[in-house]
């Protein structure tokens, strides 16, 4: 099997300078597809991670714009930096860049519609929605206590009602207490709620799931879900099935995590080469070779730079400047270099 990436580098480079840049905060994902039995329209070959965690006082108060400064996990290092302090919107935000629209609410209907129009205009066909599980489950929220379930529902409803061609993939986030049983319940929940919607991205008839921090569950747990078997948690061949992408961080994650877990492929997510083995473009050719050999999808993730020191002041080593678009072009060129086709 040959692994092919479809890119639109010039259009995507343009969008990062517009008003949506504050929302699309991290790496863009470029879908790598096997040629075998799969054909996807060009705009659905470019995906963007989309975060719905922002609110402002008209929605009941600030969330995420007032993000707290986080401590390092090592107590010796944590003591050297401030933490626990919250930013004070609208004048002082957690992000290094100030959004052209100001600190908005992710639940603003007009804003969602504008984002969808901008994605369409710039050739982005897939919105990868950050989802923290159903709200009924304890711990089903991010570090700032935000659950995005209702916001995901709103995004899908807007796509359905406006006729937007943008489609949704799910970004399954690692909420506190995530287990194989919970993942099965999550897939059942999303299947029941959304599988009838035309707003979902489908590849070979299946929805697409990115699984962030997939390594936090052992491969044997994922295998019960994703390797075809007769167990009660297995989703293969059932309505809960999908195309599942695990996160590749360390050098041997392919053999030790992605393969035994039963993932259909993997993505790299980060746009700083200091974060992980998978985020270093010089490693992508070997990862691509492994993907072809194992019949997996390789989803290299690209981004314009990285800077989270306002909330992680101890993380300057991971900071990468934009370099007037130079960093962005480097990542796109690397994706093209491992077999991507525009």
């Amino acid at each position: 099997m040959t692994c092919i990436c479809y890119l639109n580098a010039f259009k995507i480079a343009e969008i990062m300078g517009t008003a949506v840049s504050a929302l699309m905060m991290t790496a863009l994902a470029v879908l790598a597809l096997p040629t075998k039995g799969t054909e996807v329209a060009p705009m659905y070959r470019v995906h963007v991670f989309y975060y719905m965690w922002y609110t402002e006082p008209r929605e009941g108060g600030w969330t995420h714009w007032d993000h707290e400064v986080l401590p390092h996990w090592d107590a010796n290092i944590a003591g050297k930096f401030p933490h626990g302090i919250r930013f004070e919107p609208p004048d002082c935000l957690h992000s290094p860049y100030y959004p052209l629209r100001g600190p908005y609410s992710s639940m603003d209907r007009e804003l969602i519609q504008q984002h969808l129009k901008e994605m369409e205009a710039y050739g982005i066909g897939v919105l990868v929605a950050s989802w923290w599980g159903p709200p009924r489950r304890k711990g089903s929220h991010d570090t700032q206590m935000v659950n995005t379930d209702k916001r995901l529902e709103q995004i899908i409803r807007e796509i359905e009602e406006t006729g937007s061609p943008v489609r949704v993939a799910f970004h399954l986030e690692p909420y506190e207490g995530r287990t194989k049983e919970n993942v099965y319940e999550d897939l059942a929940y999303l299947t029941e709620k959304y599988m009838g919607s035309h707003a979902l991205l489908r590849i070979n008839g299946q929805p697409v799931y990115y699984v962030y921090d997939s390594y936090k569950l052992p491969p044997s747990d994922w295998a019960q879900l994703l390797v075809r078997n007769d167990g009660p948690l297995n989703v293969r061949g059932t309505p809960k099935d999908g195309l599942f992408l695990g996160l590749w961080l360390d050098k041997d994650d392919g053999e030790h995590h992605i393969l035994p877990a039963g993932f259909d492929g993997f993505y790299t997510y980060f746009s700083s080469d200091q974060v992980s083995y998978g985020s270093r473009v010089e490693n992508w050719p070997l990862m691509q070779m492994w993907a072809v050999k194992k019949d997996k999808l390789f989803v290299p993730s690209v981004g314009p730079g990285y800077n989270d020191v306002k909330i992680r002041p101890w993380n300057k080593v991971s900071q990468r400047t934009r370099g007037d678009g130079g960093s962005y072009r480097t990542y796109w060129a690397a994706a093209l270099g491992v077999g991507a086709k525009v």
Side-chain angles (χ1 to χ4, degrees), residues 305-316:
Y306 187 78
N307 185 352
D308 67 353
V309 296
K310 289 188 73 173
I311 61 172
R312 296 182 180 89
W314 37 266
N315 198 35
K316 288 185 179 181

Side-chain angles (χ1 to χ4, degrees), residues 209-223 226-227 236 243-268 277-278 287 290-292 294-299:
Y209 298 92
Y210 290 78
V211 185
Y212 189 65
D213 279 0
S214 53
Y215 63 89
K216 289 190 173 183
L217 285 182
S220 57
D221 283 7
W222 285 115
L226 304 180
V227 176
R236 295 305 191 186
L243 191 154
F244 296 91
L245 302 169
L247 179 64
W248 184 313
L249 288 180
D250 298 327
K251 181 178 180 180
D252 296 323
D253 275 357
E255 290 293 330
H256 295 166
H257 178 56
I258 302 299
L259 188 63
F263 285 107
D264 301 293
F266 56 91
Y267 69 120
T268 57
Y277 174 94
M287 296 166 67
W290 184 90
V292 171
K294 302 298 183 180
D295 199 28
K296 300 295 182 183
L297 307 185
F298 176 28
V299 184

Side-chain angles (χ1 to χ4, degrees), residues 40 46 61 66 69 142 152 185 198 215 224 243-244 274 287 294 298 314-315 324:
V40 175
V46 182
D66 66 341
V69 179
D142 66 13
L152 169 63
E185 292 174 0
H198 70 263
Y215 63 89
Q224 292 184 49
L243 191 154
F244 296 91
Q274 287 297 307
M287 296 166 67
K294 302 298 183 180
F298 176 28
W314 37 266
N315 198 35
D324 293 326

Side-chain angles (χ1 to χ4, degrees), residues 14-23 65 93 95 97-104 111 114-115 118 122 322:
E14 292 172 7
I15 199 170
M16 297 310 292
T18 73
V20 300
S21 61
L23 189 75
W65 298 118
L93 306 183
S95 56
Y97 298 99
Y98 200 92
L100 295 180
R101 291 188 171 103
Y104 50 78
L111 177 110
Q114 290 171 343
H115 282 160
E118 288 166 355
Y122 287 104
R322 297 191 175 196

Side-chain angles (χ1 to χ4, degrees), residues 206 228 234-241:
Q206 294 185 329
R228 198 174 285 268
N234 196 250
V235 303
R236 295 305 191 186
T238 76
K240 305 175 189 67
D241 205 351

